[in-house]
Short mmCIF file of all heavy atoms in Angstrom, two decimals:
data_model
loop_
_atom_site.label_atom_id
_atom_site.label_comp_id
_atom_site.label_asym_id
_atom_site.label_seq_id
_atom_site.Cartn_x
_atom_site.Cartn_y
_atom_site.Cartn_z
N ALA S 550 -100.98 13.88 -144.34
CA ALA S 550 -100.96 14.62 -145.64
C ALA S 550 -102.47 15.04 -145.93
O ALA S 550 -102.62 16.13 -146.45
CB ALA S 550 -100.46 13.67 -146.65
N SER S 551 -103.40 14.16 -145.65
CA SER S 551 -104.77 14.47 -145.91
C SER S 551 -105.24 15.55 -145.01
O SER S 551 -106.04 16.53 -145.43
CB SER S 551 -105.58 13.20 -145.69
OG SER S 551 -105.23 12.20 -146.54
N ILE S 552 -104.83 15.60 -143.76
CA ILE S 552 -105.19 16.60 -142.87
C ILE S 552 -104.70 17.94 -143.20
O ILE S 552 -105.35 18.97 -143.11
CB ILE S 552 -104.86 16.19 -141.42
CG1 ILE S 552 -105.86 15.20 -140.87
CG2 ILE S 552 -104.62 17.43 -140.48
CD1 ILE S 552 -105.56 14.64 -139.50
N VAL S 553 -103.41 18.02 -143.65
CA VAL S 553 -102.88 19.28 -144.11
C VAL S 553 -103.65 19.86 -145.29
O VAL S 553 -103.91 21.06 -145.36
CB VAL S 553 -101.35 19.10 -144.52
CG1 VAL S 553 -100.82 20.35 -145.16
CG2 VAL S 553 -100.51 18.79 -143.24
N GLU S 554 -104.12 19.00 -146.21
CA GLU S 554 -104.93 19.38 -147.27
C GLU S 554 -106.31 19.94 -146.79
O GLU S 554 -106.78 20.93 -147.25
CB GLU S 554 -105.09 18.32 -148.30
CG GLU S 554 -105.75 18.68 -149.63
CD GLU S 554 -105.72 17.64 -150.66
OE1 GLU S 554 -104.69 16.96 -150.81
OE2 GLU S 554 -106.76 17.48 -151.40
N ALA S 555 -106.91 19.20 -145.92
CA ALA S 555 -108.15 19.57 -145.34
C ALA S 555 -108.08 20.84 -144.53
O ALA S 555 -109.05 21.67 -144.45
CB ALA S 555 -108.71 18.48 -144.36
N LEU S 556 -106.95 21.14 -143.93
CA LEU S 556 -106.71 22.43 -143.22
C LEU S 556 -106.59 23.57 -144.13
O LEU S 556 -106.63 24.75 -143.69
CB LEU S 556 -105.45 22.34 -142.32
CG LEU S 556 -105.55 21.59 -140.93
CD1 LEU S 556 -104.15 21.41 -140.36
CD2 LEU S 556 -106.37 22.40 -140.02
N GLY S 557 -106.35 23.26 -145.40
CA GLY S 557 -106.12 24.34 -146.37
C GLY S 557 -104.67 24.67 -146.58
O GLY S 557 -104.35 25.66 -147.20
N MET S 558 -103.73 23.95 -146.01
CA MET S 558 -102.35 24.27 -146.09
C MET S 558 -101.51 23.48 -147.09
O MET S 558 -100.36 23.56 -147.21
CB MET S 558 -101.65 23.98 -144.69
CG MET S 558 -102.18 24.95 -143.53
SD MET S 558 -101.79 26.65 -143.92
CE MET S 558 -100.02 26.69 -143.84
N GLN S 559 -102.17 22.76 -148.01
CA GLN S 559 -101.59 22.06 -149.12
C GLN S 559 -102.56 22.17 -150.31
O GLN S 559 -103.79 22.16 -150.11
CB GLN S 559 -101.37 20.55 -148.73
CG GLN S 559 -100.82 19.79 -149.85
CD GLN S 559 -100.22 18.42 -149.46
OE1 GLN S 559 -99.15 18.07 -149.85
NE2 GLN S 559 -100.91 17.66 -148.65
N LEU S 560 -101.96 22.22 -151.54
CA LEU S 560 -102.77 22.35 -152.68
C LEU S 560 -103.71 21.08 -152.86
O LEU S 560 -103.24 19.97 -152.57
CB LEU S 560 -101.87 22.48 -153.93
CG LEU S 560 -101.18 23.85 -154.00
CD1 LEU S 560 -100.32 23.90 -155.28
CD2 LEU S 560 -102.09 25.05 -154.03
N SER S 561 -104.85 21.30 -153.42
CA SER S 561 -105.82 20.25 -153.56
C SER S 561 -105.33 19.07 -154.44
O SER S 561 -104.81 19.33 -155.50
CB SER S 561 -107.13 20.79 -154.24
OG SER S 561 -108.07 19.86 -154.36
N GLY S 562 -105.48 17.88 -153.88
CA GLY S 562 -105.07 16.71 -154.63
C GLY S 562 -103.71 16.12 -154.29
O GLY S 562 -103.42 14.94 -154.62
N LEU S 563 -102.89 16.92 -153.71
CA LEU S 563 -101.46 16.51 -153.50
C LEU S 563 -101.37 15.33 -152.50
O LEU S 563 -100.50 14.42 -152.65
CB LEU S 563 -100.63 17.64 -152.98
CG LEU S 563 -99.73 18.36 -154.03
CD1 LEU S 563 -99.12 19.58 -153.41
CD2 LEU S 563 -98.67 17.40 -154.56
N SER S 564 -102.23 15.31 -151.47
CA SER S 564 -102.09 14.30 -150.46
C SER S 564 -102.27 12.88 -150.97
O SER S 564 -101.75 11.94 -150.46
CB SER S 564 -103.11 14.56 -149.29
OG SER S 564 -104.39 14.40 -149.79
N SER S 565 -103.05 12.69 -152.03
CA SER S 565 -103.51 11.38 -152.51
C SER S 565 -102.54 10.84 -153.63
O SER S 565 -102.49 9.65 -153.80
CB SER S 565 -104.94 11.42 -153.08
OG SER S 565 -105.80 11.99 -152.15
N LEU S 566 -101.86 11.71 -154.38
CA LEU S 566 -101.04 11.30 -155.51
C LEU S 566 -99.89 10.40 -155.05
O LEU S 566 -99.18 10.81 -154.16
CB LEU S 566 -100.56 12.47 -156.31
CG LEU S 566 -101.50 13.27 -157.14
CD1 LEU S 566 -100.89 14.48 -157.70
CD2 LEU S 566 -102.02 12.34 -158.30
N PRO S 567 -99.61 9.27 -155.66
CA PRO S 567 -98.48 8.52 -155.29
C PRO S 567 -97.17 9.29 -155.46
O PRO S 567 -97.13 10.25 -156.31
CB PRO S 567 -98.49 7.36 -156.36
CG PRO S 567 -99.89 7.17 -156.65
CD PRO S 567 -100.46 8.61 -156.63
N ALA S 568 -96.13 8.97 -154.76
CA ALA S 568 -94.90 9.71 -154.73
C ALA S 568 -94.33 9.76 -156.15
O ALA S 568 -93.65 10.76 -156.43
CB ALA S 568 -93.96 9.07 -153.74
N VAL S 569 -94.50 8.74 -156.95
CA VAL S 569 -93.81 8.65 -158.22
C VAL S 569 -94.72 9.18 -159.37
O VAL S 569 -94.38 9.10 -160.56
CB VAL S 569 -93.38 7.16 -158.54
CG1 VAL S 569 -92.30 6.76 -157.58
CG2 VAL S 569 -94.54 6.22 -158.51
N ASP S 570 -95.90 9.72 -159.04
CA ASP S 570 -96.78 10.27 -160.12
C ASP S 570 -96.23 11.62 -160.59
O ASP S 570 -95.97 12.53 -159.82
CB ASP S 570 -98.19 10.46 -159.44
CG ASP S 570 -99.26 10.62 -160.51
OD1 ASP S 570 -99.19 11.57 -161.27
OD2 ASP S 570 -100.23 9.87 -160.49
N LYS S 571 -96.12 11.73 -161.88
CA LYS S 571 -95.57 12.88 -162.58
C LYS S 571 -96.48 14.12 -162.28
O LYS S 571 -95.85 15.24 -162.46
CB LYS S 571 -95.51 12.66 -164.06
CG LYS S 571 -94.44 11.61 -164.51
CD LYS S 571 -93.03 12.09 -164.27
CE LYS S 571 -92.03 11.10 -164.85
NZ LYS S 571 -90.63 11.63 -164.63
N ARG S 572 -97.67 14.00 -161.94
CA ARG S 572 -98.52 15.15 -161.67
C ARG S 572 -98.03 15.94 -160.48
O ARG S 572 -98.35 17.11 -160.32
CB ARG S 572 -99.92 14.72 -161.48
CG ARG S 572 -100.69 14.27 -162.75
CD ARG S 572 -102.01 13.72 -162.49
NE ARG S 572 -101.96 12.38 -161.85
CZ ARG S 572 -102.96 11.66 -161.58
NH1 ARG S 572 -104.22 12.15 -161.71
NH2 ARG S 572 -102.88 10.42 -161.08
N ARG S 573 -97.20 15.28 -159.65
CA ARG S 573 -96.60 15.95 -158.52
C ARG S 573 -95.66 17.10 -158.94
O ARG S 573 -95.60 18.15 -158.35
CB ARG S 573 -95.81 15.02 -157.60
CG ARG S 573 -96.74 14.13 -156.78
CD ARG S 573 -96.02 13.44 -155.71
NE ARG S 573 -96.98 12.96 -154.72
CZ ARG S 573 -97.36 13.70 -153.73
NH1 ARG S 573 -96.88 14.87 -153.49
NH2 ARG S 573 -98.32 13.26 -152.80
N TYR S 574 -95.01 16.92 -160.05
CA TYR S 574 -94.12 18.02 -160.58
C TYR S 574 -94.88 19.24 -160.97
O TYR S 574 -94.59 20.41 -160.73
CB TYR S 574 -93.28 17.49 -161.76
CG TYR S 574 -92.24 16.47 -161.35
CD1 TYR S 574 -92.43 15.16 -161.52
CD2 TYR S 574 -91.03 16.88 -160.80
CE1 TYR S 574 -91.56 14.13 -161.13
CE2 TYR S 574 -90.10 15.94 -160.46
CZ TYR S 574 -90.34 14.60 -160.65
OH TYR S 574 -89.38 13.62 -160.27
N ALA S 575 -96.10 18.95 -161.62
CA ALA S 575 -96.96 20.09 -162.03
C ALA S 575 -97.45 20.88 -160.79
O ALA S 575 -97.44 22.09 -160.78
CB ALA S 575 -98.05 19.58 -162.95
N LEU S 576 -97.90 20.13 -159.78
CA LEU S 576 -98.46 20.77 -158.61
C LEU S 576 -97.29 21.46 -157.88
O LEU S 576 -97.59 22.51 -157.22
CB LEU S 576 -99.10 19.71 -157.74
CG LEU S 576 -100.58 19.36 -158.23
CD1 LEU S 576 -101.09 18.10 -157.45
CD2 LEU S 576 -101.54 20.52 -158.04
N ALA S 577 -96.09 20.92 -157.83
CA ALA S 577 -95.02 21.59 -157.22
C ALA S 577 -94.62 22.94 -157.82
O ALA S 577 -94.42 23.97 -157.20
CB ALA S 577 -93.77 20.70 -157.24
N HIS S 578 -94.79 22.96 -159.25
CA HIS S 578 -94.56 24.16 -160.00
C HIS S 578 -95.61 25.19 -159.56
O HIS S 578 -95.39 26.41 -159.38
CB HIS S 578 -94.60 23.94 -161.47
CG HIS S 578 -94.40 25.05 -162.26
ND1 HIS S 578 -93.16 25.64 -162.62
CD2 HIS S 578 -95.28 25.86 -162.98
CE1 HIS S 578 -93.26 26.74 -163.39
NE2 HIS S 578 -94.56 26.82 -163.64
N THR S 579 -96.92 24.72 -159.55
CA THR S 579 -98.00 25.60 -159.17
C THR S 579 -97.78 26.15 -157.73
O THR S 579 -98.13 27.31 -157.49
CB THR S 579 -99.26 24.75 -159.20
OG1 THR S 579 -99.51 24.31 -160.53
CG2 THR S 579 -100.53 25.61 -158.80
N ALA S 580 -97.25 25.35 -156.83
CA ALA S 580 -97.04 25.75 -155.46
C ALA S 580 -96.05 26.93 -155.42
O ALA S 580 -96.37 27.91 -154.69
CB ALA S 580 -96.44 24.61 -154.61
N GLY S 581 -95.04 26.93 -156.27
CA GLY S 581 -94.11 28.05 -156.25
C GLY S 581 -94.78 29.35 -156.75
O GLY S 581 -94.58 30.41 -156.20
N ARG S 582 -95.67 29.16 -157.76
CA ARG S 582 -96.40 30.40 -158.22
C ARG S 582 -97.31 30.89 -157.23
O ARG S 582 -97.50 32.06 -156.96
CB ARG S 582 -97.13 30.01 -159.53
CG ARG S 582 -96.19 29.61 -160.70
CD ARG S 582 -96.96 29.11 -161.88
NE ARG S 582 -97.87 30.12 -162.47
CZ ARG S 582 -97.52 30.94 -163.40
NH1 ARG S 582 -96.27 30.94 -163.87
NH2 ARG S 582 -98.33 31.89 -163.82
N LYS S 583 -98.01 29.96 -156.52
CA LYS S 583 -99.00 30.36 -155.44
C LYS S 583 -98.36 31.03 -154.36
O LYS S 583 -98.99 31.95 -153.72
CB LYS S 583 -99.87 29.14 -155.08
CG LYS S 583 -100.83 28.67 -156.05
CD LYS S 583 -101.92 29.71 -156.29
CE LYS S 583 -103.00 29.21 -157.25
NZ LYS S 583 -104.05 30.24 -157.53
N MET S 584 -97.11 30.62 -154.00
CA MET S 584 -96.46 31.22 -152.91
C MET S 584 -96.20 32.76 -153.05
O MET S 584 -96.28 33.52 -152.14
CB MET S 584 -95.10 30.51 -152.65
CG MET S 584 -95.12 29.37 -151.60
SD MET S 584 -96.04 29.83 -150.06
CE MET S 584 -95.16 31.24 -149.57
N ILE S 585 -95.94 33.15 -154.36
CA ILE S 585 -95.82 34.64 -154.57
C ILE S 585 -97.12 35.31 -154.22
O ILE S 585 -97.00 36.42 -153.60
CB ILE S 585 -95.44 34.79 -156.08
CG1 ILE S 585 -94.20 34.04 -156.46
CG2 ILE S 585 -95.27 36.24 -156.37
CD1 ILE S 585 -92.94 34.40 -155.61
N GLU S 586 -98.24 34.69 -154.60
CA GLU S 586 -99.53 35.38 -154.26
C GLU S 586 -99.75 35.35 -152.73
O GLU S 586 -100.27 36.35 -152.21
CB GLU S 586 -100.63 34.52 -154.92
CG GLU S 586 -100.58 34.60 -156.46
CD GLU S 586 -101.58 33.73 -157.14
OE1 GLU S 586 -102.61 33.36 -156.48
OE2 GLU S 586 -101.43 33.46 -158.36
N LEU S 587 -99.37 34.25 -152.05
CA LEU S 587 -99.60 34.26 -150.61
C LEU S 587 -98.74 35.32 -149.89
O LEU S 587 -99.22 36.00 -149.02
CB LEU S 587 -99.08 32.87 -150.05
CG LEU S 587 -99.97 31.63 -150.27
CD1 LEU S 587 -99.37 30.40 -149.55
CD2 LEU S 587 -101.37 31.88 -149.84
#
């Protein structure tokens, strides 16, 4: 997970957040928006 983030293939901070951390939902939402830009 850390390596994917270091490669640039995952949004910053996602690799470290615990699975049950609510901030994951916000970053998942951001991922969908960023995919349109990609």
Side-chain angles (χ1 to χ4, degrees):
S551 300
I552 278 178
V553 171
E554 189 171 320
L556 279 170
M558 293 299 296
Q559 174 164 232
L560 293 179
S561 182
L563 260 172
S564 65
S565 312
L566 285 172
V569 295
D570 195 303
K571 291 290 186 180
R572 287 172 288 182
R573 285 192 161 273
Y574 290 99
L576 281 170
H578 181 80
T579 301
R582 296 172 63 89
K583 286 294 181 183
M584 268 311 308
I585 303 301
E586 299 175 14
L587 286 184

